[in-house]
Structure formats: structure tokens, C-alpha cells
Amino acid sequence: NAGVIQTPRHKVTGKGQEATLWCEPISGHSAVFWYRQTIVQGLEFLTYFRNQAPIDDSGMPKERFSAQMPNQSHSTLKIQSTQPQDSAVYLCASSSDWGYSAETLYFGSGTRLTVL
Amino acid sequence: GDSVTQKQGQVTLSEDDFLFINCTYSTTTYPTLFWYVQYPGQGPQLLLKVTTANNKGISRGFEATYDKGTTSFHLQKASVQESDSAVYFCALSRNMGYKLTFGTGTSLLVDP
């Protein structure tokens, strides 16, 4: 089990460019979560999917941010017209519905986005 | 909404010292509570999970205790090692399948 895989590990974009971040959840997990981590704000919830359906996107900035889960093996977070304040580590996590592991989030190593 | 408060931003100890990190929470129901640990360059990973059914969890020498009366949740370890240096987050889940709400984290530095 390779765990949650996030690519790329690092991404540098210029202000106004688009950034797409990829996440491959643990096989068999039904839920995928996206969080953003900064020194100032800590771990902020962005959005999550269950069985590929969007459930809660209450943490997503309403403009420029979007997330999709086209199949059970990957999810993407897209940021249009990136701004310096979008610089952060974006973390993806997955969880299972069953047994003791239910409710536990398994995180990837994150994508560090730097907007110049 | 749900909230989790960790007032200890940074803790510095020596090896074999006792560790105690406190966390308080606010939510509308009895949550499941978690401690996650994060090492540099990695995502947070589960250290302990405690439900309302058991009130206490033990893992890797760490013990977490959940007090519904004071809505607090603390993490302790009798004797820390340099390898325990990391950031520790408490978090809550309102119910199964729901998102986790995290505290701001406590950075632990253990001097050898």
C-alpha cells in the first residue's frame, strides 16, 4: 500500500497562472479530503468527496478554486489565476467507511505551491 | 461551528522529561477526538484516536484522555525522546465520515 500519493511535490507558478494539483487516494477508500496548510492559518479544510460525489465545499474560496473527482482513483484541485496568498502546502487525505479505520484520515505528503 | 483550541504553540523538553499537551474543543455533539503528528516534509499521521465509548487511547508510549465534562482532550507521555520532536495536532470529527477540524498544533522540540 503506497498510501495517498500527491503530485507534484513542489509547484512554482507566476501570479495569474493556473495550478492543478493531483491526488491518488488509497485504493478502496471512499472519501477524499483536501486541506490547505500555512503557518498563519494552520490546517484549513477545503472540500471533500464521498464515493466521488462532492459533499462539503464550505472551505473552498468561492472564486478561482475548484475540485473534482472524476473517478475513484484520483482527485484534482485547480486554482485559476493564482495569487501570492495561495502559496501553501495543499494536503490530500482519504478515509475508509469501515471498521476501526473509519473516520481516520490518511494524508499524503502534500504539494507545496509557491506563487511568485 | 466546530472548533479546537491548542494554546501551547511550542514546547521544549529534554530527553526523559514528561510531556503534557492540552486541547479543548467545542461542538454540538460528542465527537471522536484524534491526535495527529506531523514530521517535516510529511503530511499529518494518526497517533491516537479516542471515542466517547472508551475515553482513553494508548499508542507508541503516548496516552490520550478525553474529558467530556470539561470538553478537553490531552496528550501525555512519561518520557520523551529526541525522535518525538514533531508538531502535534488535536482534531475532532463530529460523526463518521465527516471532516476533521484541527487545532493549530504544538511544536515539540526534545533536546538530547
Side-chain angles (χ1 to χ4, degrees):
Chain A
N1 190 337
V4 175
I5 298 172
Q6 290 190 250
T7 55
R9 287 298 310 274
H10 303 274
K11 186 169 183 67
V12 180
T13 64
K15 182 179 175 181
Q17 293 183 327
E18 181 178 287
T20 300
L21 313 180
W22 295 74
C23 171
E24 181 180 328
I26 293 172
S27 177
H29 280 191
S30 58
V32 171
F33 299 77
W34 285 95
Y35 283 79
R36 176 168 65 181
Q37 185 173 28
T38 61
I39 297 293
V40 174
Q41 298 294 333
L43 280 158
E44 295 178 277
F45 167 78
L46 294 176
T47 186
Y48 89 98
F49 299 84
R50 178 167 297 282
N51 297 319
Q52 298 173 236
I55 302 298
D56 182 351
D57 67 354
S58 59
M60 290 278 273
K62 295 310 176 191
E63 297 180 0
R64 304 188 295 107
F65 282 64
S66 62
Q68 295 185 345
M69 191 163 185
N71 56 60
Q72 63 185 7
S73 64
H74 89 272
S75 175
T76 59
L77 179 68
K78 182 180 291 185
I79 308 171
Q80 295 178 310
S81 185
T82 54
Q83 303 297 311
Q85 61 265 30
D86 299 331
S87 296
V89 175
Y90 289 84
L91 291 160
C92 176
S94 67
S95 72
S96 168
D97 279 340
W98 305 105
Y100 182 77
S101 293
E103 296 182 292
T104 300
L105 268 58
Y106 295 85
F107 284 87
S109 295
T111 295
R112 180 176 295 278
L113 176 66
T114 302
V115 182
L116 301 176
Chain B
D2 301 336
S3 68
V4 177
T5 302
Q6 284 180 258
K7 291 187 175 179
Q8 298 158 282
Q10 191 163 324
V11 173
T12 302
L13 298 172
S14 300
E15 279 197 331
D16 297 324
D17 280 352
F18 172 73
L19 170 69
F20 182 92
I21 303 174
N22 194 43
C23 173
T24 58
Y25 66 88
S26 174
T27 185
T28 56
T29 185
Y30 292 121
T32 297
L33 295 168
F34 302 80
W35 283 99
Y36 276 77
V37 59
Q38 186 175 29
Y39 300 100
Q42 299 181 20
Q45 59 184 260
L46 179 68
L47 177 60
L48 282 166
K49 169 184 168 180
V50 180
T51 67
T52 55
N54 51 23
N55 293 333
K56 184 174 287 189
I58 297 174
S59 175
R60 296 190 250 168
F62 290 88
E63 181 178 313
T65 304
Y66 176 179
D67 185 335
K68 292 189 285 293
T70 59
T71 63
S72 65
F73 183 51
H74 67 256
L75 179 71
Q76 63 185 53
K77 188 177 186 184
S79 175
V80 294
Q81 303 302 305
E82 186 179 7
S83 57
D84 294 325
S85 296
V87 181
Y88 293 81
F89 294 93
C90 60
L92 71 81
S93 172
R94 189 188 295 178
N95 51 47
M96 188 174 294
Y98 201 69
K99 64 187 179 187
L100 291 188
T101 299
F102 285 88
T104 50
T106 297
S107 178
L108 172 65
L109 176 62
V110 181
D111 293 327

